Amino acid sequence: MKNLNKEDYKICIVGLGYVGLPLAARFSLKGFDVSGFDIKKERINQLVNKIDINNDISDANLETLVKNSKLTSNIDEIKKSNIFIITVPTPINEDKTPDLEPLIASSKLVGSIIKKGSIIIYESTVYPGVTDEICTSILEEKSNLIFNKDFSTGYSPERIVPGDKVNTIEKIKKVVSASNEETLKIISFIYSSIIDAGIHIAPTIRVAEAAKVTENIQRDVNIALINEMHQLYTAIGINTNEVIEAASSKWNFMKLTPGMVGGHCISIDPYYLMHKSEMSGYVPNIMRASRKINDDMSNWVVEQFLEFSKRKKIDIHNMEITFFGYSFKENCSDTRNTKVRDLISLLNEMNLEIGLWDPIVDQNDMNDLKQSGIKVYSNPPTEIELVFLCVEHDEIHDFLTNFKGLVFDYKNIDFH
């Protein structure tokens, strides 16, 4: 095989969201010929004007990307690419089954323009077998090319953590895999060029797919255990955080804290592997039980809030309950699958007066709440008496330092 050079590869990132944008910026920063494609014209217009509402990359990196790369919603402008990296969402349907429509649609789009020698790499989280059994057949059908002769595929699961400014893309080891050895060398080369932490070569695409869902399911299971303990310790009057601090004095204790599991990964990915598991005839008991505990956490939190109100003699029918934090995790603006929505809905059904303040979430992401009668604050609220603390962003933490009213913190329940 000839020596590999950056100049030989024209990379197109398909999907410029939380995963695709940092990836495109990193490739651009390292001197690759990069195009970024997204079907949302509004997203492209924002990025071209150096606006990233997700705040995923630095202003300097965004400026470099816009200057050196082509960002577009026009499929004709990415036809010269020979490497396509697909980073579209993989959500679930209402019945909790995998929704592969974004992945299928992007495979059809890319399949319609690839040519001989093209490599298509998937980063979206899926269950083992999706790339080989679903995506590849679509690529063959749309391109009229022969798999592993005219084009090839790879899988390199995304490991980006939204809101994490420390463990950024280049610092996280990348798992790579490919449909043949020659393609694996190319994929290894391009990712090694941008990932300082290095790469891990998985023996097959199916192993790489399984590794990704395994990472998130392990975390889901462990959080479910902590949540179950939190419910138990609360029932017997013990502060869970104090228990965790004591237990974590041992070196091999995995320190996690209770919380509602939302977002686009940990609360979604287990359903992908459970779906595949059930297809194979195996019943994944621990995964199912963990998902139920975490999915039901919002009901328990509301019950605790009502108990807290009685204990503190708070007349919740005659004052505003102001929620603090709306995103799915601290210091992150991502509201996808946020469980705070569930809490607000449950209390809204009781005809209570509800307010909401999140200093880092885009106001447009809360428009539906405004329409349902929720008072959404754009600035720190001053005339409030009761805070329902959900997501303690740094700015929220600073505000509460001087707050004189009552605070219900479901992660750290006060028994006094």
Side-chain angles (χ1 to χ4, degrees):
M1 187 176 182
K2 67 176 184 177
N3 291 333
L4 303 178
N5 299 296
K6 293 179 181 180
E7 294 75 18
D8 295 328
Y9 306 109
K10 297 182 183 298
I11 299 173
C12 176
I13 310 297
V14 180
L16 294 175
Y18 288 90
V19 175
L21 183 64
L23 189 63
R26 188 66 182 166
F27 273 117
S28 177
L29 188 66
K30 289 297 182 177
F32 282 90
D33 184 332
V34 180
S35 297
F37 177 87
D38 200 291
I39 59 173
K40 297 178 180 178
K41 292 182 180 179
E42 183 182 1
R43 174 67 168 162
I44 295 298
N45 289 336
Q46 289 172 346
L47 294 176
V48 167
N49 287 297
K50 301 172 187 175
I51 299 170
D52 173 27
I53 60 172
N54 298 333
N55 193 30
D56 284 324
I57 59 176
S58 68
D59 292 341
N61 284 349
L62 180 56
E63 187 168 346
T64 299
L65 176 64
V66 172
K67 179 181 178 182
N68 298 335
S69 308
K70 179 67 179 179
L71 306 180
T72 183
S73 291
N74 186 346
I75 190 173
D76 292 329
E77 295 183 342
I78 62 172
K79 288 183 176 179
K80 292 182 179 180
S81 302
N82 55 10
I83 292 182
F84 296 85
I85 303 179
I86 296 177
T87 64
V88 298
T90 43
I92 54 174
N93 298 304
E94 287 188 12
D95 62 358
K96 307 272 178 81
T97 57
D99 177 7
L100 295 174
E101 187 52 41
L103 203 61
I104 290 170
S106 58
S107 295
K108 288 179 178 178
L109 182 146
V110 170
S112 69
I113 61 174
I114 59 174
K115 51 189 177 294
K116 286 188 177 182
S118 292
I119 296 172
I120 302 87
I121 305 166
Y122 292 88
E123 290 212 3
S124 306
T125 305
V126 293
Y127 59 78
V130 168
T131 301
D132 291 338
E133 297 163 14
I134 297 177
C135 299
T136 300
S137 61
I138 293 172
L139 294 170
E140 277 196 306
E141 178 185 353
K142 289 296 179 180
S143 66
N144 290 319
L145 298 175
I146 300 172
F147 174 56
N148 269 344
K149 179 182 177 184
D150 298 326
F151 75 93
S152 53
T153 60
Y155 184 80
S156 180
E158 60 89 5
R159 281 177 158 174
I160 289 173
V161 183
D164 192 332
K165 304 304 181 186
V166 177
N167 299 298
T168 47
I169 183 172
E170 72 277 6
K171 298 176 184 176
I172 306 171
K173 182 169 283 192
K174 204 82 164 71
V175 174
V176 297
S177 61
S179 59
N180 59 61
E181 285 299 320
E182 184 176 345
T183 301
L184 181 59
K185 291 177 182 177
I186 294 172
I187 293 176
S188 298
F189 166 73
I190 65 169
Y191 280 116
S192 294
S193 301
I194 67 166
I195 305 297
D196 296 341
I199 62 170
H200 173 91
I201 296 176
T204 65
I205 286 176
R206 289 168 65 89
V207 167
E209 291 169 326
K212 171 56 180 177
V213 286
T214 298
E215 292 172 24
N216 287 339
I217 290 171
Q218 182 186 66
R219 188 164 176 82
D220 191 44
V221 169
N222 285 324
I223 294 173
L225 177 61
I226 293 295
N227 279 339
E228 187 170 59
M229 288 179 173
H230 185 39
Q231 294 179 33
L232 167 62
Y233 292 141
T234 300
I236 60 178
I238 296 176
N239 185 290
T240 306
N241 283 347
E242 292 174 354
V243 174
I244 292 169
E245 286 302 316
S248 62
S249 63
K250 189 180 181 187
W251 78 92
N252 61 352
F253 178 78
M254 183 181 295
K255 187 177 182 181
L256 294 171
T257 55
M260 295 180 295
V261 182
H264 65 293
C265 288
I266 298 176
S267 63
I268 299 295
D269 297 351
Y271 291 112
Y272 273 73
L273 193 58
M274 285 193 284
H275 176 76
K276 182 65 174 181
S277 178
E278 289 161 7
M279 287 168 61
S280 71
Y282 179 79
V283 179
N285 292 315
I286 295 178
M287 283 184 257
R288 290 171 66 178
S290 299
R291 272 286 78 224
K292 186 174 189 328
I293 290 171
N294 289 337
D295 269 348
D296 291 347
M297 190 66 177
S298 54
N299 293 313
W300 180 84
V301 170
V302 167
E303 289 174 6
Q304 295 308 305
F305 171 72
L306 297 177
E307 287 293 324
F308 169 84
S309 300
K310 289 179 182 178
R311 193 164 62 246
K312 298 290 186 181
K313 295 181 171 54
I314 304 169
D315 185 1
I316 58 175
H317 293 279
N318 285 302
M319 70 167 59
E320 178 184 292
I321 302 163
T322 312
F323 283 79
F324 273 23
Y326 185 62
S327 60
F328 84 89
K329 62 179 285 191
E330 287 76 9
N331 300 314
C332 172
S333 62
D334 192 348
T335 62
R336 287 177 293 176
N337 199 33
T338 174
K339 296 303 178 184
V340 181
R341 175 185 292 275
D342 296 346
L343 299 178
I344 292 175
S345 295
L346 288 167
L347 291 183
N348 203 29
E349 289 172 1
M350 298 172 61
N351 295 318
L352 302 176
E353 185 180 354
I354 298 172
L356 170 63
W357 178 54
D358 191 308
I360 66 174
V361 168
D362 190 282
Q363 289 283 308
N364 292 327
D365 290 340
M366 298 182 281
N367 281 340
D368 60 327
L369 296 175
K370 296 177 186 177
Q371 293 169 3
S372 64
I374 309 301
K375 184 177 182 180
V376 178
Y377 293 92
S378 57
N379 296 306
T382 54
E383 303 298 323
I384 58 172
E385 301 174 80
L386 174 60
V387 167
F388 194 133
L389 179 59
C390 296
V391 191
E392 195 171 1
H393 305 307
D394 289 344
E395 191 171 335
I396 288 176
H397 175 81
D398 294 341
F399 177 90
L400 290 176
T401 301
N402 298 312
F403 181 64
K404 303 302 182 184
L406 287 165
V407 178
F408 171 70
D409 179 0
Y410 77 91
K411 296 183 180 181
N412 193 23
I413 292 175
D414 176 14
F415 298 103
H416 303 296

